[in-house]
Each structure stands twice: as structure tokens, then as C-alpha cells.
Amino acid sequence: MTRYLARRIAQAIVVVILVSMIVFGILHFLPGSPARAMLGVRATPGAIKAFNKANGYTRALPMQYLLYLDHLVHGNLGFSYIRDQSVRSLLALDVPKTALLVGTSYALALIIAIPVGLAQALRRNKPLDHAFTVFSLVGYSMPMFWLGMLLIVVFSVQFHLFPAEAPQGASVSNAFSDPQAMVLPVATLTIVTVAQFSRFMRTSAIDNLLQDYIRTARAKGVSQRQLVLRHLLRNSLLPIVTLVGLSLPFVLSGAIVVEALFNYPGMGWLFWQAAGAHDFPVLMGFTIVVAVATVVGNLLADIAYALMDPRIRYSAS
Amino acid sequence: MLDVGDNILSPGAVVLGGEPEQPAAGEARSAWRTAAGELLGNYLGVAGLGIIVLMALFSFVGPLVYHTQQVNTNLTQVNLAPGGKFPLGTDQVGYDVLGRLMVAGQSSLEVGLAAAVIAVGIGTVWGAVSAFVGGWVDSVMMRVVDALIAIPTVLLVLLLATIVTPSVLTMIYVLGFVSWIITARLVRGEVLVLRTLDYVSASRLAGERPVRIVLRHVVRNVIGIVAVQATFEVANAILLLATLSFLGLGPPPPAVNWGGMLTTGLNYIFDGYWWQIYPAGLCIVLTVVAFNLLGDATRDALDVRLRQR
């Protein structure tokens, strides 16, 4: 187990370094230079030269990368010239809001998708299974912004049940004081995620239903309730742990769209604004943070997986 | 054991334990024919294929039959309700919506198909090289894949879209570049399994040249997986293009795609101009559903294990 852990952590570190290289590469190969981006198109050559020297852009590329890495390690994610604020302070403000949106949606999606997928597997090719298959198919074939818009039309324009705009305000506490406004953004993200997760769960449960241990349990006379809860559910959940970890980038992609649509001032919204304004330090800083979160999330999922399933640690070591 | 990354973006994936039974090389031709027969016997797959053909005809042949003005705006006929001269009404600058759907469908389908071809092209080469070379090269190549998986697709697309000048062509490159990762993992996994199979070892022992082994045994078996993944990638690329248009970084006018039409139409959602919203949305959902159905059916058709049940 220790060896497996060590190898997995080493891999994660390599991946994070590669992500920083990719991001640095994109930053470096940008058309124009950071100097142009900050000082504007009318900057004099002298000003640009001074800026480049002051910020270390005159050094050799590997040195620049090491400098960038050094900044990253010390928590310096860069400075947004457009917002005149450090990326770290922007992040500190916005991460909790996105974490709330994504976390709530993730939790709700799991609570809904696990029973749904299980029920589908148990009633495979019956009307209930087909109904949810259609729902799931349409769910992940629909542009997410359109789904959100339809929810706005029905629940906020027609029936005046929930506001069409997410909670405003700089702090995450605004979201707690205005929970009504969180309903539609969370619902949009949850529906799409359920479409994905219920599919995973159905497949995993069907796979397990074909295994010998289920037949053995049935032969022993285990009741259906016991069979489902003790044998099927527990074993089907195993691969879901990893899949859920790997789905984090997918859900975060969705969060960008949802935040843009509902005007929710979180990370995704800021990223979207930064993309429109060519605010590269923000784009780079956020990409790094999200990628690290994903790598760590996957690492934790894998460790949890190894703890739950002895086969993994034995085959790995 | 389930290789989790393989199924992540294709939720319809059937996860099964054990090694796939590979058809012997001599039976390859008849195996393909069987697979084609299976595919045609799958109603949903046929429906998907049918919708795709209809959408392609609608977008590419439609404008030849149904002539509309799609270049110059006409402000004397904006936001007209369907009826009379305009079966689906007009949009906010006076374009005929039905005719616009056809033109928009051209870019949506072109971008989707071309991006998918680029994606599976890069992915196949990457995965195959990684599996064949092995060792530390394999490790490095796979860590690069891990690194790219860790960055959310929309984030990466937005990042790249801010760098390039948006046009249909650059969208194809951007979407192709962000979508090859799953294919690379799938192809690598398959090649690793294929290399150890008895009939491949046997043909190596029998003195077949490596090139011939690759062409005859490996390519034939990998091509099915790649075809299935390409189908899903078309669906993904069409959706991503729509998302990018919604976020304001899609190809600008005069280029138009279904996502862009839908986004513009959404501005009028409170005015009741339904004809500017639902037809475009329906085109996207129908096409994406169709490609997903075709992908699922193709995978089932190629899967020998499912056939026996």
C-alpha cells in the first residue's frame, strides 16, 4: 500500500509539473508579449524593454520557467493588470462561491444518480430503464446554457418560483442569505451531472449483476433487499468513486457556463470575463489552480479506491 | 478491471470484466460484415444514422432547393412570425430562419466532423506510439495525457480561443486539439492488450514482418474503437462549438452555427420569438443525440461479447 501510495503521489507531482509547463508554454507563445498586454499598443520600445527587464522576460526561457515555477510554489499566481489585483486575492474571493455551486451539485447528483442507476440496472430494458436512458441521452446532448434558459423560462418567467439571477455580492455568505436564487443554477448543473453519473452507475451495476457472487448470494437465499443493499450497491459503487473524481473537470466546465448564464460571480464567471478581456494572468492562474484541484481530487479518489478494494493495492505492488 | 478513463466521456459505455475475444485474423472480413449486419439490426443506431443523413441533406442540399438571402440583412422584415413567405419566420436582422438553419448547419457539421477527424488522428498516433515504444516514453506520453485531462475542456478551449482569431477553421483546430485525449487512452489500452494476444505472438513467431503485423492485426482491431470514439467526438465538438458561441468566443458573423443562432435567439426569449430559439436548439439536440446513438450502436455491433446475449 505504501509503495502504491508513493508511486501515485509521484505521478501526481509529475502531472502538476507538466500542467505548469503547458500553461507556461501557452503564455509564452501568446501573440504579442505580456508587455504589450499591460502597456498597450502605443507603448514605446524603451518602456517595453524596461518592463521586460523588470519582470525577467529578458532571461533565457528555461530560467523564465523556473522563475514562474518559483512564483507558483510561493503562492504567487501572477497579477491581473486589467483588474489591478493579484490573481491570488481574486481567487480567494471566488473559489468558495464556485466550490459551493459545484459541491452542492455534485452531492445532489450523487444522491439522485445512484438510486436511479441502480433501479435502471435492476429493471434493465423495462419502461423505467428506457425512460431514464432517454432522459440521460437528451441531458448530455443538450447545450447546458439552453437547459438553464429553459429552466429560467419555466420556473422564473412562467411561475415566478425562483429568481433568474444567481445570488450577487462579493462574499459566499450572500449565497447562503439568498438560497432561493441558488436553486436554478444548482438545478442546471445537477441535471447534466445526473445524466452522466446515472449512466456510470447503471453500467457498473449491470456489470456486477452478471458476476458469480450475485448468483451465489441468490442461491443462498439472500433476500432481494439484502442482495441489492449489501452486495450489489457496495460493489457497484467502487468504480463510481474514481469516475466521480475524474468527472471534476467536466463539472467545472459546466460551472463556467452556468456562472456565465446566471451571472454568478464565481471562478467560472471571472474566467469567462478574463477570456473576453485577454486577461492572461487570470486565465493562467485559474487554469493551474483548477488543474491542481483535479489532480489532487483524482489522487484522493484513487487512494479511497485502493482502501476499499484490496485487489488494487495487491496488483499495484 | 475497469480502466476508468476510458469511459469517462462516453457515459453509455458498457463496462465489462475480462479480456475481449478477438476474432481470428482470417475471419476479419466476415466479422466486419457481421458487425454491419448487427448495426443495421439496431433500430436506435439506424435512427441515429437516419437523422444524421437528414441533417446533412438539410444543411448541404437544402439551400439548393430553398433559396434565401443569407448575405445581406433586411431591416424591413425583422422578427417576423412564421407564416407566408417565411415558414420559420425571420431573425433580428431579417434573415429567413429556415434558410439560416441550413447555412448554420453546414458550419456546425463541418466543425464537428473535421474536429473529430483531427482529434482521433492525433489520439490514435499518440496512443499507438505510446503503447508500442513503452518504457519511459510511454510514461511521459501518458502523464501529458493526464495533465491535459486535468484541465477542464471548456477552460482549455476558452484559453486557446483567446489566442487564435476565431473562424470556422481555427475552431476546427482548437476543438480537435482539446478532444484527442480519450482516443489516445483507448488506443493505447487496446494496443497493449493486442500485443500480448496469442495470435499476434504466433504471427511474429511465424516470421511476419512488424509492419505487416501492425497493419493486419493491430490496425484492424483498433479501427473499430477509433470509429466509435470519432462518432462521440463529433457530438462533443458540436456541443463545444455551441458553448463557445454562447460564451462569445465562437466564429463571428458572417459565419454562423446552430449554437450562435441559439445564443442570439435567447436574447429574445422574453419577447416570445420562439422560432428563433426552439428550431436551432432542436437541431443541436437532434444531431448530438443522433451521433451518440450511432456511436453506442456501432460499439455494440463491434462488441462480440454483447452479441452472444
Side-chain angles (χ1 to χ4, degrees), chain A residues 18 26 30 140-141 145-146 149 153 157 196 199 203 207 239 242 246 249 253 256-257 271-272 275 278 283 290-291 294, chain B residues 2 4 8 11 13-15 143 149-150 152-155 159 162-163 239 242-243 246-247 266 269-270 277 289 292:
Chain A
L18 276 170
I26 293 176
L30 284 179
Y140 62 74
S141 300
F145 65 91
W146 193 38
M149 209 67 198
V153 167
V157 180
Q196 188 107 339
R199 221 49 210 160
T203 309
D207 188 24
T242 312
L246 280 171
S253 283
I256 297 181
V257 175
F271 191 87
W272 176 49
H278 291 236
L283 295 177
V290 167
T294 310
Chain B
L2 161 68
V4 286
I8 186 79
V14 177
V15 183
R143 291 300 83 72
I149 285 180
T153 317
V154 172
L155 222 78
L159 211 58
T162 55
I163 295 173
L239 273 184
T243 303
F246 167 69
L247 294 173
L266 288 180
I269 201 160
F270 302 118
I277 303 158
V289 164
N292 279 325

Side-chain angles (χ1 to χ4, degrees), chain A residues 9-317:
Chain A
I9 290 172
Q11 271 184 6
I13 292 171
V14 172
V15 169
V16 168
I17 292 175
L18 276 170
V19 169
S20 74
M21 280 184 179
I22 293 170
V23 169
F24 177 78
I26 293 176
L27 182 70
H28 183 76
F29 292 113
L30 284 179
S33 63
R36 283 270 174 226
M38 186 196 169
L39 304 173
V41 283
R42 294 186 181 193
T44 61
I48 287 175
K49 215 171 164 184
F51 178 88
N52 281 343
K53 198 160 171 57
N55 289 281
Y57 292 121
T58 47
R59 301 186 199 190
L61 204 57
M63 278 309 290
Q64 285 191 37
Y65 173 70
L66 288 179
L67 193 71
Y68 173 74
L69 209 57
D70 182 58
H71 284 171
L72 281 186
V73 171
H74 289 98
N76 177 356
L77 293 165
F79 190 85
S80 165
Y81 308 120
I82 288 172
R83 290 181 181 265
D84 196 21
Q85 212 174 344
S86 75
V87 175
R88 200 165 109 175
S89 64
L90 286 167
L91 209 67
L93 210 58
D94 287 343
V95 166
K97 284 180 273 184
T98 298
L100 178 69
L101 173 71
V102 169
T104 318
S105 304
Y106 240 105
L108 282 175
L110 283 174
I111 292 170
I112 299 168
I114 290 170
V116 165
L118 209 57
Q120 277 184 281
L122 288 168
R123 291 175 179 66
R124 194 177 169 192
N125 293 336
K126 300 267 170 57
L128 179 102
D129 181 27
H130 289 310
F132 278 112
T133 300
V134 170
F135 159 79
S136 158
L137 186 64
V138 174
Y140 62 74
S141 300
M142 206 178 213
M144 199 188 271
F145 65 91
W146 193 38
L147 173 68
M149 209 67 198
L150 292 180
L151 291 182
I152 291 179
V153 167
V154 174
F155 291 103
S156 103
V157 180
Q158 291 279 329
F159 296 112
H160 300 287
L161 284 174
F162 305 107
E165 194 177 48
Q168 301 298 302
S171 156
V172 69
S173 62
N174 295 88
F176 287 111
S177 59
D178 193 9
Q180 286 257 319
M182 278 303 274
V183 172
L184 290 185
V186 167
T188 309
L189 200 52
T190 305
I191 289 174
V192 178
T193 315
V194 165
Q196 188 107 339
F197 286 2
S198 67
R199 221 49 210 160
F200 296 155
M201 188 63 198
R202 175 183 183 272
T203 309
S204 173
I206 286 177
D207 188 24
N208 272 291
L209 274 173
L210 298 170
Q211 303 284 327
D212 290 340
Y213 74 87
I214 293 282
R215 201 175 47 198
T216 310
R218 280 217 175 103
K220 282 197 314 190
V222 174
S223 70
Q224 177 76 5
R225 191 189 146 83
Q226 282 280 316
L227 185 81
V228 171
L229 290 181
R230 279 194 55 174
H231 298 273
L232 184 58
L233 178 64
R234 292 173 105 182
N235 284 294
S236 314
L237 277 179
L238 276 177
I240 303 298
V241 174
T242 312
L243 285 173
V244 163
L246 280 171
S247 300
L248 187 61
F250 167 81
V251 181
L252 281 169
S253 283
I256 297 181
V257 175
V258 166
E259 290 181 11
L261 178 66
F262 289 96
N263 199 29
Y264 182 63
M267 261 173 97
W269 186 85
L270 190 69
F271 191 87
W272 176 49
Q273 293 293 312
H278 291 236
D279 190 355
F280 293 112
V282 171
L283 295 177
M284 298 299 158
F286 277 44
T287 308
I288 289 273
V289 167
V290 167
V292 170
T294 310
V295 170
V296 172
N298 286 340
L299 185 64
L300 292 178
D302 273 7
I303 292 172
Y305 197 9
L307 285 175
M308 282 188 286
D309 190 344
R311 283 172 301 183
I312 304 288
R313 23 182 217 267
Y314 293 138
S315 69
S317 54

Side-chain angles (χ1 to χ4, degrees), chain B residues 16-37:
Chain B
L16 291 154
E19 310 251 296
E21 293 167 31
Q22 300 296 335
E27 297 165 14
R29 194 163 296 277
S30 67
W32 281 115
R33 202 170 294 156
T34 322

